[in-house]
Amino acid sequence: MRLLLVEDDKELGGGIRKALMRDGDHVDWLTDGEQALVAIRSEDFELIILDLQLPGMDGISVLRSMRREAINTPVLIMTARDTVDERVLGLDSGADDYVVKPVELKELRSRVRALSRRSHGFAAPAIVLGDLRIDNSTQQVWYRGNLVELSRREFALLCEFANRPGQVLARGQLEESMYGWADGVESNALEVHIHHLRRKLDSQLIKTVRGIGYRLDAENAQ
Amino acid sequence: MQKMHNSPSLRRRLTWYVVIILATLTVMSGTAIYVGTTKEADEVFSAALVQTARILDGFITRETIARDHQRLQRALERGPTAHEYERNLFFAVFDADRNMLLHSSQAPELPAQDIAPGFSEFRYQRRKWFTFALEASHDDLLIVVGERSGARQEITEYIGSGLLLPLILLLPLVLWVLWHIVGVALRPLQAVTDQVRQQDLRQLKVIDVEGVPGEISPLVTALNQMIVDLDAVYLRERRFVSDAAHELRNPLAALLINIDNAIEESYEREVLDTLQSMKVSIQRLSHLVSQLLALSNLEKAGGSVDFEPVDLAGVCASAVAAAGTRAQAKSVTLDWQMPAAACELSGSQALLESMVANLIDNAIRYCDSGCRVVLRCRREGKALLLTVDDSGPGLDPEQLSRATARFYRAGDTNLTGAGLGLSIVENIAKIHGGQLQLGKSTLGGLCASLRFEID
């Protein structure tokens, strides 16, 4: 999925970006509040991790502005402020979750996954589509009762499809969520990952929609 | 009230000064009156003596003495005396050879040869006499009129004591009135003292200058300036702790995430071990920072915490539930004994939760695996009692006395605590009017007990 990380601490931002990219998510990282608001307005993110103390514009103002403009992207506040009043202020300003620094990677990951899951309308940690079962918390995939070994990138790509079952996902949209503007796009990387998924799961699971992109068809897979 | 052995009382000093001045004035005016009265009485009595002598001179001649001696002497000796002062007065008449021709009945034996005209004094029978001698105008007679000196003294003493006695008797009354007047006058000082004494370091307030007398208003103004400065210093210190803790969190967060990254990317056993131990240190640091911030916030909040009815038993139950995983991980048995009666007190739910959590955390932290921790809460008359017992190693008396000091950690310093837990517990207890007591537990380890008075 495509994430926006707004964090002005270079080491922390870099570390989080690296960790989430390793999971196969695409992370755009900005260090300035105003720039973040511009990006939020123009780009389509699935989730935003937002620090509160930022140069340019503070996190609460960014959050309020985007909510005022009816941008409903889930926001996870990650800050050093930990009093009850500050948490309440953050959540009441429109945040979906609040985590206090320092946070362990596994906790951050699980919060990101939980937010993403809920924003797609799933409450249970596992997504079941026909014979396909994706467990977000353990990052395991079962197909027809068998555990399937997937790389992190393959798992992330499958989640993109699973979050929007039946929908046609455009090539460009998928590429953006996988690699984003900050990466050098390898021309056939998407095809390679799709190919691997079809080989490991089922050749009929991901259908090619000619000229547009791909679609997950879990119900009708043979 | 604090003891003030070494500081002189302004009230006492003022009262004494005024009393000393009054006493001096009294003595001085008394002396002046005495001297003045004595002199005036002398004048009056002397004039009377002269007058009497002149009257006698007018009536008494050798001829009248010779003719009426018998009758005169009888008249003079006729008793009883009409006035007690009569005894103090006398007259005598001498001829040129100083033979006494006539005298009043009380007349003393006069040293006749020595009598010279005019005023003189002499002693007779241990008494002092004043006399006035006049040479008669017709014959060569000497008329002596005298008076006992005691009479004059009695009168001056009478007049003097009449004036002095009321003053001496009034002195204690004056002292008493003065004491109270000075007390009333110094009351504004007491008011200022009370205001200073009631100051809370967390919420310093300037002293009301209104109604403060001019003499102490510079002191109050100076005090107020000091209070403002002190408040600023205190605020800065509190901010410093909170800012420092806050600023520590970003690098700590970066460290933690990057170590997690390194752990995930590393496949070498030895490197992984190193990274894991680094992670433990960072978690310890994070815990310390959180506790420091909590303590700083507690001290900042101080008196301005919103109170609501809180069920202490409920707080304990949820704290036990929350600590369950940690206790299990360390193989420590955590028991919670529900109280029979309700344990409600007025307080802050969040703070009380933190307090109980810290107590349990502390007990688990210092216990070896296999130990038992028991949390109890009960109502005892008009008080709530919360105790945490453990079967751990406990503390010796020397350690007990230092246990609530900041950053104090008993025994093994490899333990992961920050040493702030009991400090936080004590602070929260204080905010709720409670008291933390540490002692030996019946289970063998430490017993931390908290007592809250309720009404």
Side-chain angles (χ1 to χ4, degrees), chain A residues 125-136:
Chain A
I127 300 171
V128 181
L129 297 162
D131 294 330
L132 184 65
R133 179 187 153 88
I134 303 169
D135 192 336
N136 252 315

Side-chain angles (χ1 to χ4, degrees), chain A:
Chain A
M1 80 182 129
R2 188 173 177 198
L3 288 160
L4 175 65
L5 170 65
V6 192
E7 168 62 63
D8 65 327
D9 187 295
K10 296 274 182 295
E11 278 66 39
L12 180 58
I16 291 173
R17 180 162 186 264
K18 194 175 171 190
L20 295 178
M21 295 277 279
R22 199 167 47 244
D23 297 344
D25 295 320
H26 167 67
V27 181
D28 288 318
W29 172 28
L30 293 173
T31 55
D32 179 282
E34 268 176 73
Q35 286 173 19
L37 192 58
V38 171
I40 290 166
R41 281 175 181 146
S42 56
E43 304 287 330
D44 196 14
F45 298 103
E46 211 170 297
L47 190 125
I48 299 165
I49 301 175
L50 185 65
D51 186 14
L52 292 185
Q53 269 172 318
L54 291 168
M57 190 180 195
D58 73 278
I60 293 291
S61 304
V62 171
L63 185 57
R64 284 185 175 151
S65 299
M66 62 177 279
R67 292 298 188 231
R68 223 175 9 245
E69 292 164 30
I71 300 169
N72 294 321
T73 315
V75 171
L76 166 61
I77 288 179
M78 181 179 66
T79 175
R81 301 181 194 163
D82 74 335
T83 64
V84 174
D85 288 343
E86 285 160 339
R87 285 167 201 259
V88 168
L89 175 73
L91 293 171
D92 283 353
S93 300
D96 298 86
D97 199 0
Y98 194 105
V99 63
V100 176
K101 294 174 189 174
V103 58
E104 278 195 44
L105 193 50
K106 60 180 177 188
E107 184 184 348
L108 184 67
R109 263 203 197 108
S110 92
R111 284 183 189 272
V112 166
R113 277 198 301 270
L115 274 185
S116 147
R117 200 167 64 224
R118 277 202 296 272
S119 74
H120 289 111
F122 302 108
I127 300 171
V128 181
L129 297 162
D131 294 330
L132 184 65
R133 179 187 153 88
I134 303 169
D135 192 336
N136 252 315
S137 58
T138 56
Q139 301 221 325
Q140 284 173 325
V141 175
W142 282 268
Y143 191 66
R144 294 191 172 141
N146 299 316
L147 183 66
V148 184
E149 286 287 339
L150 294 183
S151 76
R152 281 207 172 96
R153 296 225 148 181
E154 287 158 4
F155 181 82
L157 184 59
L158 183 62
C159 286
E160 290 295 321
F161 284 111
N163 282 334
R164 302 169 185 82
Q167 273 183 44
V168 178
L169 303 183
R171 248 189 83 97
Q173 191 185 346
L174 280 170
E175 270 173 355
E176 216 165 54
S177 71
M178 293 296 292
Y179 303 102
W181 71 64
D183 293 66
V185 178
E186 301 156 56
S187 58
N188 65 343
L190 184 62
E191 277 85 358
V192 173
H193 288 308
I194 297 273
H195 172 73
H196 285 160
L197 278 180
R198 281 176 178 160
R199 185 169 54 82
K200 286 181 179 174
L201 297 163
D202 189 321
S203 58
Q204 294 303 302
L205 194 66
I206 297 168
K207 300 249 162 66
T208 306
V209 182
R210 208 166 294 276
I212 304 173
Y214 304 92
R215 180 169 65 90
L216 180 74
D217 192 1
E219 309 299 325
N220 300 316
Q222 300 294 307

Side-chain angles (χ1 to χ4, degrees), chain B residues 227-382:
Chain B
I227 286 171
V228 169
D229 291 347
L230 200 64
D231 199 33
V233 169
Y234 195 63
L235 196 74
R236 221 167 26 235
E237 194 240 4
R238 282 183 323 208
R239 275 216 193 111
F240 173 76
V241 176
S242 136
D243 286 353
H246 209 258
E247 286 308 311
L248 275 169
R249 282 192 158 161
N250 271 318
L252 272 175
L255 260 174
L256 193 59
I257 291 287
N258 284 309
I259 283 191
D260 274 339
N261 273 338
I263 289 171
E264 285 184 5
E265 286 163 0
S266 169
Y267 296 99
E268 274 181 64
R269 187 76 238 155
E270 277 176 33
V271 177
L272 271 177
D273 286 348
T274 312
L275 289 172
Q276 287 293 358
S277 74
M278 282 171 76
K279 194 174 168 182
V280 169
S281 300
I282 289 167
Q283 282 165 336
R284 200 159 118 185
L285 254 179
S286 306
H287 180 67
L288 166 64
V289 167
S290 296
Q291 297 280 70
L292 255 184
L293 253 180
L295 200 56
S296 162
N297 285 334
L298 268 182
E299 280 167 5
K300 219 186 313 187
S304 61
V305 179
D306 288 332
F307 277 24
E308 55 187 347
V310 178
D311 175 26
L312 197 58
V315 169
C316 289
S318 55
V320 167
T325 328
R326 286 200 346 95
Q328 254 177 5
K330 222 181 157 180
S331 306
V332 169
T333 319
L334 184 54
D335 282 342
W336 157 236
Q337 298 185 355
M338 267 295 270
C343 288
E344 201 170 79
L345 81 162
S346 173
S348 151
Q349 175 95 19
L351 289 184
L352 289 171
E353 274 170 6
S354 160
M355 181 188 77
V356 177
N358 268 294
L359 272 177
I360 297 177
D361 184 77
N362 206 62
I364 295 175
R365 210 178 278 277
Y366 285 94
C367 271
D368 304 318
S369 72
C371 280
R372 201 168 151 229
V373 174
V374 182
L375 181 66
R376 287 189 195 90
C377 172
R378 67 171 189 278
R379 205 181 156 142
E380 215 180 65
K382 285 197 166 181

